[in-house]
Amino acid sequence: MMKFTKQNFIFLVGGIIIYVVDIGVDFWVASKYFCQGQYRWGILILCFRGLSSLITQVFSYEWFKNDWEGTDTGKLKWIFLAHLFQCGIFIRYWFALKYGCQAAFKQKSSGDASETDPPNFIQKQAVDAVADINMLRVFKTFLETTPQLFVQIYILMEHGKNNFCQYAAIITSFCSISFSTVDYQISLRKSLPDKDEFRVLPKLVYVFYKLLTITSWILSISLMTLLNVRSSVILLIFLWICGFTWTFKQHTTFCKSKKMEYLYRTVVGIILIFTFFNIKGRKTKVCISIYYATHTIITLGILFVYMFWKPSIIKEIHFTIVSILTILSLVLGIIFLVVYYRLFHPTAYCRPQACSDEVDGQAGQRDRVEIGRFQNFIMQ
């Protein structure tokens, strides 16, 4: 396991600031829409915000309950109340800051020491606390941030009017997607012993691969929505059904309860609408090729429909710009994807037999040492 460094602690503090700013921007944009009389957009923005918050709180509390199984129930009651009032993520940030400060500034870990030794145990606590936060941020990114980005771009394309709050929301969304995907990969490699360190160049390649492919897809869906809202909704529902079915057939075992597992599969189905998501940590060359080939065909199909169904729109400058951006971001995104998987993607995968849920602690006590939820939750 890699060390939790001072740089990681600084990024953790930055993540808290971005999270709070993101909440503020959501309510600011929604209030602007309400003031302008555009109630449907304001309500939609708040619905995305509320849905993502509700689901992340449910998962967060479930993880607390699993991790603290057999401990004082009084603490769990306070944790439940915090999650009930949608503040669970701040509890997790508090634990991450506590363990991160100890690991980065107060502990000196030996590379040959056991994970159960105090210094290494603090390091593991810090890494796992940040990993849980980053998993929740991945949920939030694709349940709230990415759909909001789609809505903002669609509004700009439909009305042709723009203001500062819309640009702020779009920029914030892009930043949030970038940070959440990269932070997740960093946590993944820190939590699993067979993953290499995520260096600067691989980070940049990975960010461009994700951002460009997601941007191209959002622009494509926005164009289709402008053409026909009903067709766009049907396509998104169909893609979610395909993603949920594929996840179901993978027999995922991320959650302990069946209800939470179904919720997890539902969320993964939504994520798969926007980006590829490896849920089993297996080699994914065939799956990822089919996934992005499908996205490419749909994107080109949407542009061809515009050419033959509404040729008058092709002459408009905004359509030309959007079309060029869609194709360019798709091509560059695929190029960065190939470069990342050819040069920077780790070839080793976590082996189930190498992982255990518990180990015997000192003085006859059994200290729970989790390998981490990444064993059944891997995004690549």
Side-chain angles (χ1 to χ4, degrees), residues 101-295:
C101 183
Q102 293 177 356
F105 299 99
K106 299 179 181 179
Q107 295 286 345
K108 292 184 179 180
S109 176
S110 172
D112 298 327
S114 169
E115 277 190 350
T116 54
D117 291 343
N120 272 21
F121 183 70
I122 293 295
Q123 289 281 337
K124 179 169 174 55
Q125 282 185 310
V127 169
D128 287 348
V130 174
D132 283 347
I133 289 173
N134 287 334
M135 281 191 282
L136 293 173
R137 285 177 61 192
V138 168
F139 284 154
K140 177 185 177 298
T141 295
F142 294 101
L143 289 173
E144 176 195 343
T145 307
T146 308
Q148 283 183 356
L149 179 60
F150 161 66
V151 169
Q152 297 296 339
I153 291 177
Y154 170 75
I155 293 172
L156 286 175
M157 293 170 62
E158 182 188 34
H159 298 288
K161 297 178 181 180
N162 50 72
N163 52 56
F164 178 74
C165 74
Q166 284 180 311
Y167 285 125
I170 290 173
I171 293 171
T172 303
S173 296
F174 275 118
C175 290
S176 181
I177 293 171
S178 302
F179 280 108
S180 65
T181 52
V182 170
D183 286 346
Y184 185 85
Q185 278 292 317
I186 293 173
S187 292
L188 170 63
R189 298 185 184 219
K190 282 184 176 293
S191 297
L192 297 180
D194 53 0
K195 297 285 184 182
D196 298 327
E197 186 179 353
F198 209 25
R199 300 187 184 278
V200 175
L201 185 57
K203 285 179 187 177
L204 291 175
V205 174
Y206 184 81
V207 166
F208 284 125
Y209 143 52
K210 283 293 180 182
L211 270 184
L212 290 169
T213 52
I214 290 173
T215 300
S216 173
W217 183 241
I218 288 176
L219 290 174
S220 301
I221 299 300
S222 299
L223 284 172
M224 186 172 183
T225 307
L226 282 174
L227 196 64
N228 191 296
V229 176
R230 183 179 298 177
S231 298
S232 180
V233 172
I234 291 173
L235 174 63
L236 293 176
I237 292 175
F238 174 74
L239 291 174
W240 174 80
I241 292 173
C242 291
F244 178 82
T245 304
W246 179 71
T247 306
F248 187 82
K249 288 188 175 182
Q250 297 297 309
H251 303 291
T252 57
T253 55
F254 178 61
C255 303
K256 289 187 176 181
S257 68
K258 287 186 177 180
K259 291 181 180 179
M260 290 300 299
E261 191 64 35
Y262 279 113
L263 179 60
Y264 165 68
R265 292 169 181 175
T266 301
V267 172
V268 171
I270 295 173
I271 296 174
L272 284 169
I273 294 175
F274 300 104
T275 191
F276 182 75
F277 193 74
N278 181 9
I279 57 176
K280 295 292 284 186
R282 297 170 181 169
K283 294 184 178 181
T284 55
K285 184 177 180 179
V286 175
C287 292
I288 200 170
S289 299
I290 294 173
Y291 181 87
Y292 284 108
T294 303
H295 273 214

